[in-house]
Amino acid sequence: MIKNYFKIAWRNIRKRKSVALINILGLALGFSCAILIFLFIQFHLTFDNFHKDSDRIYRFVSEVHRDHIAYKSTVPPALPNVFKNDYNYAEKVAKIIDRGEQLITVNSGATPQRYKPRTAFVEPDFFRIFNFPLIDKDFSDELTAPNTAIITREMAKKLFGDTSPINQTFIWDNKDTIRVTGVLKDLPKNTLINSRVFISFKTLQTSDRTSWIATESWTGTATSLQCFTLLRLNQDPLKIEQEMKKWPAKYHPEPVSTEDHYKLQPFPDIHFDSRYSNSINIKLLWILGAIGFFLILIACINFINISAAQSVYRSKEVGVRKVLGSFKDQLFRQFLTETFLITLIALIIGFGLSVLFLPFFNNTFNLSLSKNGLINFRFAGFIAILLIGVAILAGSYPGIILARIAPVLALKRKLTQSDTGSSLTRKILVTSQFVISIVLIIAVLVIGKQIKYATSSDLGYDTSTIVMVGLPETLEQAQLNTLKNKIVQSSNIKRVSICFTSPGAQTDGWGTDVNFNGNPKYEKFLIQSKMGDEDYIETFGIQLVAGRNFIKKDSVDEVLVNETFGTKIGINSPEELLGKPIKISDDYIQGRIVGVVKDFYNQDFHGTISPVFIAPAPDLWYNEIGVKINRKNTKEALQHIEQQWTSYFPNFIFEYAFLNDRVTEMYKSEQQFLSLTRLFSFLAIFIDGLGIYGLVSFFVAQKTKEVGIRKVLGGRVIDILGLFFKDFFTLIGIAGLIASPIAWYFMNDWLQHYAYRTQINWWVFALPIGCVLVLTLLIASYKGYRAATANPVKSLRSE
Amino acid sequence: MIKITDLEKYYRTEEVQTVALNKLSFDVREGEFVAIMGPSGCGKSTLLNILGLLDDPDGGSFIFNGIEVSGFNERKRANLRKHNIGFVFQSFNLIDELTVYENVELPLIYTGVKATDRKNRVHEVLEKMQIMHRRNHFPQQLSGGQQQRVAVARAVVNNPKLILADEPTGNLDSSNGNEVMDLLTELNQQGTTIIMVTHSEHDAKFSHRIIRMLDGQKVTENVLV
Ligand SMILES: Nc1ncnc2c1ncn2[C@@H]1O[C@H](COP(=O)(O)OP(=O)(O)O)[C@@H](O)[C@H]1O
Ligand SMILES: [Mg+2]
């Protein structure tokens, strides 16, 4: 029986190729998206799930209680040591300092080879807490001595080629010679840890400006430091946290609020706990999952509508089968088998497409999904559910319609539309397809609009004319000043500032404690620091609203603050702030306020403008040079900067970025989400279009006779096209009415993540509806026009 | 074998109610060959559909093989039909997507005959209908006469006790028509009961008895043998 079903199914597919093509293509596209989305979701759900004792691993984090709670994924560097040495909680404790890209030089051959791999400094137990195995051996005394490192296999290959990397050396940041003592298996992509070079923590204690992090300090924290512990068996983290609650008062009373709280964050929670850094919002996975589902739903609806309509052509077969004694449920099963076959073909094609497009997908959306994610039971289960689910979802309704065709009618005459499913059902289905597409397009428009708003609004500082140039880590003040003077000496350079970083950051950390006007207590809020020399505000175009800029001198005793600082203090007139003493972060900076600057967006549009101070750095904590250039001669300006820079730092790699690119970069995840949504909405519309084409083709075939008659009676082509438009016009209108509030609800919710939001205007709704309308009309007119202009005699005869 | 009494069937459309069968009664004995004649629209096809258990009467009684079947549900009717009744239509009604062989095999699949037995049986019937050489062709590739022979083959493949034929020669020329009539006669001589609707006095002469209808009622009955 099954064989017979498959046979006839296959012959039907071949007989009505265009219909099969529409169905299969739509489903295949839906499937390939679903598979890619599956990979994406799986990637995140399996994040760091390969560590043996995951349930006992915790990250030390802090809750900083001021006027609001700030969540830091770090603790003072002394804390882990106390935790390990003075208490009995931990089996192992390890710190890691992620220093981002570091300069690494290998002196093999004639010219030194320079690389900038992501580099971290780790304590030896780090690799005993986590499951990142060495190649060919177990951990013994790796990373215990200063100036040693272990590197990944991929990195070893890059640095040393095919020679054995063990005991080879490289130079870090042009100062320390580091010896490789071990090679790690390449790290998986779905882990929090993404460094390639791991240098022993002890190396930091001998030199380097981060040395304070490496010592037993309770003052100050840096996100680059993360601390992990593997608790002993049967420890209650809540009890431990209770004990840790006493620590701020015990170890570091002022200015740290005694309400600050050090906590243990369960390691498996890290990836989705969006309060802390290194996380993604789990909602994103839900949204993508829903989009995948809806794409498949659109394709299923195509299948349902087209198959139901096409059942007219199957009525004779159904009639005959019933005459020959077939039961209803046999016919239903037959049709399900056919659907299953089509679904299977679509799935195979969809699978092929997704494998084919995976590299492209990864590239475009900056992902690192692997084909290996498709070889597991989870995926097999997913595919099985997809196959069976879609076959049932798409096949049931047409199957019921076919099975209930009365044989007497079927054999007597061709069936009419009303015998092939109610037109109301079809209208509801088509409308819901339109709803999905319209919602997706609205989402694309709103996301795009918000990104545009965030990147092209006036941020309170210049972005388009400024180039940020990196600085090596060890420098001297004199060296910097001469470099600055050299760079300024070009007509294409307008201004130069040496600074810690540009005025805007994606998220501006949590800030430091501030004491104003000699008050007995530190303020209830934290202040952000913008360290830069006396040219900082001029270079970046930050405006003064009161007082003056600070003057260049050897000691730091003059400070600028922004308007928000005044508001937070409760002083609304900037003039009143002038001359008032200010103390920042435990006497790190002590001085007077000499000027107040206009508020600028110190972080991206997610966060509100914080209280900010601008001052020169007391120690040499400068990271970058901001150069305001003449954009008319960008190339010459860049050449000039590079020339000067490399003559000062011949052993380092020159790197620069335009500040407006950096601002765009802040919205990378939004951009990525936008690209994904754009792709999916395009596909939704495309699959919609396929369905419309299929339906219209069918109706045209049905109406050819009617159209022919009307033409004979003297109807104009336009009247005839009206036949097709009228229906779709209403359906799209209804779809627009349903889609708009739904989309508004979700997009408004999405916008709540931003402190500064774009408007959702009327055209955000009108445009997608218009798009769908135009597309539908184009398809309908193409098909309708051909029918309408066909020779009426011919179409009458063919009936 | 068949006893119908006061059989009634109405069709309702929005405006009108048509009486297709109006208290129709007659018997058919096993082994009989009955022709039903009458003008177009008098209810012949409706009658045949009810006799073939494709449709339910609105009133009256229909006893098939001693069982009252008028109240049967669709499943029971299908079960009874596939084992006992074969159909031949004016427009052949072969499934276009199946070959000659597969069309004829279909009733055997529905009655659950094993694959090897099916093969033997289909070959046997195709031989008999002299259409064996065309077994791998599709219906559209055959002439009308050949298609009707396939349809007859399909109708008899299950060895039904009753064959219902609705104008089986209506779409055929006279020589093909005669061939089909010869086939039916032969089947009847081997014991199959046949009820045939026809417009042709010529064809009706092959039967034992002619029932003439008008407006859903029986008008006359001529016994020929
Ligand atoms: N499905 C139907 N719906 C409405 N009327 C029908 C239907 N089938 C048959 N009829 C009507 O019932 C009457 C008998 O039809 P039918 O049995 O097909 O006649 P015959 O086969 O003798 O030409 C006719 O008036 C016909 O119009
Ligand atoms: Mg008839």
Side-chain angles (χ1 to χ4, degrees), chain B residues 21-39:
Chain B
L21 295 178
N22 188 2
K23 300 211 179 282
L24 182 66
S25 309
F26 64 82
D27 298 353
V28 176
R29 274 169 287 111
E30 194 149 357
E32 245 193 315
F33 188 160
V34 177
I36 295 176
M37 298 190 75

Side-chain angles (χ1 to χ4, degrees), chain A residues 175-187:
Chain A
K175 15 177 240 271
D176 298 294
T177 301
I178 312 280
R179 185 169 54 89
V180 175
T181 58
V183 177
L184 287 170
K185 281 194 185 143
D186 284 334
L187 268 48

Side-chain angles (χ1 to χ4, degrees), chain A residues 46-241:
Chain A
T46 59
F47 215 83
D48 266 320
N49 74 342
F50 46 85
H51 304 289
K52 218 174 71 224
D53 298 307
S54 265
D55 55 324
R56 285 196 287 143
I57 303 177
Y58 292 83
R59 177 166 77 172
F60 292 101
V61 295
S62 323
E63 280 180 9
V64 182
H65 293 251
R66 293 295 187 278
D67 54 350
H68 65 282
I69 303 176
Y71 297 91
K72 308 184 193 180
S73 54
T74 187
V75 286
L79 186 145
N81 303 336
V82 169
F83 191 87
K84 184 166 66 179
N85 300 330
D86 300 357
Y87 295 86
N88 209 17
Y89 302 135
E91 197 171 303
K92 290 182 180 74
V93 170
K95 300 185 223 177
I96 175 169
I97 295 178
D98 182 351
R99 288 290 304 276
E101 292 176 359
Q102 292 285 303
L103 180 66
I104 278 174
T105 314
V106 179
N107 285 315
S108 63
T111 53
Q113 300 294 310
R114 298 199 179 86
Y115 305 90
K116 279 205 127 178
R118 190 146 181 168
T119 303
F121 296 82
V122 289
E123 292 186 329
D125 271 348
F126 183 82
F127 289 100
R128 296 194 178 87
I129 295 177
F130 296 107
N131 180 23
F132 299 116
L134 286 173
I135 288 173
D136 295 340
K137 63 171 187 170
D138 293 330
F139 278 96
S140 49
D141 57 353
E142 284 81 12
L143 299 174
T144 44
N147 297 326
T148 59
I150 57 179
I151 57 181
T152 62
R153 173 164 30 194
E154 163 213 354
M155 202 59 223
K157 191 137 176 89
K158 223 187 228 168
L159 296 182
F160 307 112
D162 290 331
T163 55
S164 161
I166 303 293
N167 287 328
Q168 302 251 36
T169 59
F170 61 81
I171 297 162
W172 162 51
D173 202 33
N174 285 331
K175 15 177 240 271
D176 298 294
T177 301
I178 312 280
R179 185 169 54 89
V180 175
T181 58
V183 177
L184 287 170
K185 281 194 185 143
D186 284 334
L187 268 48
K189 294 258 168 38
N190 53 346
T191 171
L192 184 65
I193 310 302
N194 47 17
S195 296
R196 298 291 169 263
V197 174
F198 298 88
I199 302 178
S200 68
F201 203 81
K202 283 206 176 114
T203 314
L204 283 179
Q205 284 156 345
T206 56
S207 64
D208 194 66
R209 70 181 188 203
T210 34
S211 53
W212 68 275
I213 304 178
T215 58
E216 318 251 320
S217 159
W218 280 97
T219 56
T221 51
T223 21
S224 57
L225 173 77
Q226 301 212 28
C227 310
F228 296 92
T229 180
L230 177 69
L231 293 184
R232 287 181 199 282
L233 287 170
N234 304 322
Q235 291 289 334
D236 180 0
L238 290 178
K239 272 200 192 124
I240 301 177
E241 282 182 346

Side-chain angles (χ1 to χ4, degrees), chain A residues 661-782:
Chain A
D661 290 342
R662 195 181 274 186
V663 171
T664 309
E665 182 82 353
M666 291 178 195
Y667 302 95
K668 210 170 78 186
S669 65
E670 281 91 343
Q671 286 286 2
Q672 184 182 329
F673 187 51
L674 176 65
S675 321
L676 281 173
T677 323
R678 201 187 283 139
L679 171 76
F680 292 140
S681 65
F682 177 78
L683 281 173
I685 271 283
F686 182 76
I687 302 174
D688 252 6
L690 282 178
I692 296 168
Y693 184 84
L695 271 185
V696 171
S697 308
F698 175 77
F699 287 129
V700 165
Q702 293 279 303
K703 282 196 174 162
T704 302
K705 192 178 164 194
E706 185 184 344
V707 171
I709 291 167
R710 289 196 184 202
K711 242 186 114 162
V712 173
L713 296 178
R716 286 176 305 140
V717 172
I718 190 79
D719 301 331
I720 294 157
L721 288 182
L723 280 176
F724 301 106
F725 295 161
K726 217 183 63 210
D727 262 8
F728 281 119
F729 214 85
T730 329
L731 296 189
I732 293 172
I734 295 171
L737 286 180
I738 299 172
S740 298
I742 295 176
W744 181 85
Y745 174 81
F746 282 108
M747 292 330 290
N748 192 49
D749 185 55
W750 179 78
L751 281 175
Q752 297 311 311
H753 294 296
Y754 293 88
Y756 306 103
R757 302 186 271 273
T758 186
Q759 303 256 315
I760 305 184
N761 318 81
W762 63 270
W763 63 261
V764 165
F765 303 104
L767 195 64
I769 299 173
C771 268
V772 173
L773 205 61
V774 168
L775 178 83
T776 309
L777 294 193
L778 279 179
I779 295 172
S781 353
Y782 168 73

Side-chain angles (χ1 to χ4, degrees), chain A residues 488-689:
Chain A
V488 161
Q489 274 161 29
S490 155
S491 57
N492 292 321
I493 306 295
K494 294 184 172 162
R495 199 107 193 182
V496 178
S497 169
I498 299 168
C499 56
F500 182 67
T501 177
S502 50
Q506 186 169 17
T507 44
D508 212 351
W510 48 84
T512 43
D513 284 295
V514 58
N515 179 285
F516 176 71
N517 205 13
N519 290 341
K521 282 240 163 221
Y522 274 77
E523 294 300 327
K524 265 287 180 193
F525 60 87
L526 299 169
I527 194 166
Q528 303 294 333
S529 54
K530 299 292 166 190
M531 304 302 209
D533 66 10
E534 67 284 356
D535 286 316
Y536 192 78
I537 61 171
E538 187 65 33
T539 305
F540 290 102
I542 296 167
Q543 289 169 28
L544 268 176
V545 292
R548 57 167 175 83
N549 192 8
F550 49 78
I551 295 164
K552 183 178 180 180
K553 47 177 120 163
D554 288 339
S555 62
V556 180
D557 60 1
E558 295 184 339
V559 175
L560 303 176
V561 295
N562 68 349
E563 294 166 310
T564 298
F565 176 79
T567 321
K568 283 264 183 187
I569 292 283
I571 297 177
N572 285 323
S573 148
E575 274 75 20
E576 277 181 50
L577 291 169
L578 300 177
K580 298 274 161 35
I582 185 169
K583 195 162 77 170
I584 285 149
S585 185
D586 230 2
D587 306 344
Y588 172 63
I589 288 177
Q590 285 197 58
R592 281 179 314 110
I593 298 172
V594 296
V596 179
V597 298
K598 196 161 184 278
D599 275 340
F600 56 89
Y601 290 92
N602 68 307
Q603 38 189 351
D604 74 14
F605 277 25
H606 285 284
T608 46
I609 295 174
S610 340
V612 170
F613 77 90
I614 304 172
D619 314 324
L620 212 52
W621 267 44
Y622 290 135
N623 255 347
E624 295 185 297
I625 315 178
V627 186
K628 189 180 174 92
I629 62 164
N630 177 1
R631 279 308 292 257
K632 288 207 187 78
N633 295 325
T634 305
K635 210 173 138 213
E636 291 79 2
L638 282 175
Q639 268 171 2
H640 170 73
I641 300 169
E642 176 163 13
Q643 238 170 36
Q644 298 306 323
W645 196 96
T646 36
S647 70
Y648 267 82
F649 309 111
N651 296 326
F652 293 89
I653 302 174
F654 175 75
E655 281 171 324
Y656 72 92
F658 287 102
L659 193 47
N660 50 358
D661 290 342
R662 195 181 274 186
V663 171
T664 309
E665 182 82 353
M666 291 178 195
Y667 302 95
K668 210 170 78 186
S669 65
E670 281 91 343
Q671 286 286 2
Q672 184 182 329
F673 187 51
L674 176 65
S675 321
L676 281 173
T677 323
R678 201 187 283 139
L679 171 76
F680 292 140
S681 65
F682 177 78
L683 281 173
I685 271 283
F686 182 76
I687 302 174
D688 252 6

Side-chain angles (χ1 to χ4, degrees), chain A residues 250-482:
Chain A
K250 184 169 173 188
Y251 294 103
H252 189 242
E254 269 292 320
V256 176
S257 157
T258 45
E259 271 160 52
D260 284 0
H261 196 171
Y262 303 122
K263 292 199 142 177
L264 293 169
Q265 183 187 27
F267 184 66
D269 294 357
I270 291 178
H271 192 56
F272 292 118
D273 188 344
S274 48
R275 292 174 303 171
Y276 298 96
S277 52
N278 316 96
S279 66
I280 71 151
N281 193 337
I282 196 158
K283 241 190 194 167
L284 176 70
L285 301 189
W286 282 107
I287 292 172
L288 284 177
I291 291 179
F293 173 78
F294 282 126
L295 283 176
I296 288 188
L297 190 65
I298 293 181
C300 283
I301 290 177
N302 278 354
F303 186 93
I304 292 170
N305 278 336
I306 295 174
S307 308
Q310 292 279 330
S311 59
V312 168
Y313 300 127
R314 303 291 300 272
S315 58
K316 179 174 145 195
E317 181 196 336
V318 172
V320 170
R321 283 181 185 270
K322 281 199 172 174
V323 166
L324 298 181
S326 170
F327 300 135
K328 256 188 190 169
D329 53 291
Q330 285 174 318
L331 280 163
F332 180 73
R333 276 205 300 276
Q334 177 188 344
F335 193 74
L336 267 195
T337 314
E338 280 194 37
T339 314
F340 184 85
L341 184 68
I342 287 175
T343 312
L344 185 67
I345 296 171
L347 191 58
I348 292 168
I349 295 174
F351 181 81
L353 282 179
S354 58
V355 171
L356 200 68
F357 282 111
L358 186 59
F360 170 79
F361 190 71
N362 274 332
N363 249 323
T364 316
F365 304 116
N366 196 17
L367 304 169
S368 41
L369 307 176
S370 154
K371 261 178 249 175
N372 297 338
L374 300 176
I375 316 165
N376 56 40
F377 285 116
R378 214 178 297 116
F379 182 69
F382 173 69
I383 285 292
I385 290 171
L386 214 53
L387 182 60
I388 294 167
V390 167
I392 290 174
L393 186 66
S396 296
Y397 179 68
I400 289 170
I401 288 191
L402 271 180
R404 71 166 185 222
I405 287 177
V408 180
L409 287 184
L411 295 179
K412 195 159 186 165
R413 57 183 162 87
K414 281 225 165 128
L415 297 187
T416 59
Q417 281 313 300
S418 55
D419 300 312
T420 60
S422 84
S423 64
L424 182 65
T425 314
R426 178 159 42 238
K427 281 175 183 165
I428 291 173
L429 291 176
V430 170
T431 306
S432 35
Q433 284 183 309
F434 286 138
V435 169
I436 296 169
S437 298
I438 292 173
V439 168
L440 281 174
I441 304 173
I442 294 175
V444 169
L445 291 178
V446 174
I447 298 169
K449 200 161 176 279
Q450 173 67 11
I451 294 175
K452 181 139 196 286
Y453 175 64
T455 51
S456 62
S457 290
D458 178 9
L459 299 177
Y461 58 93
D462 291 344
T463 56
S464 57
T465 55
I466 292 168
V467 179
M468 300 302 298
V469 181
L471 282 175
E473 296 201 338
T474 36
L475 297 161
E476 276 154 33
Q477 187 76 50
Q479 214 179 358
L480 267 181
N481 282 330
T482 33

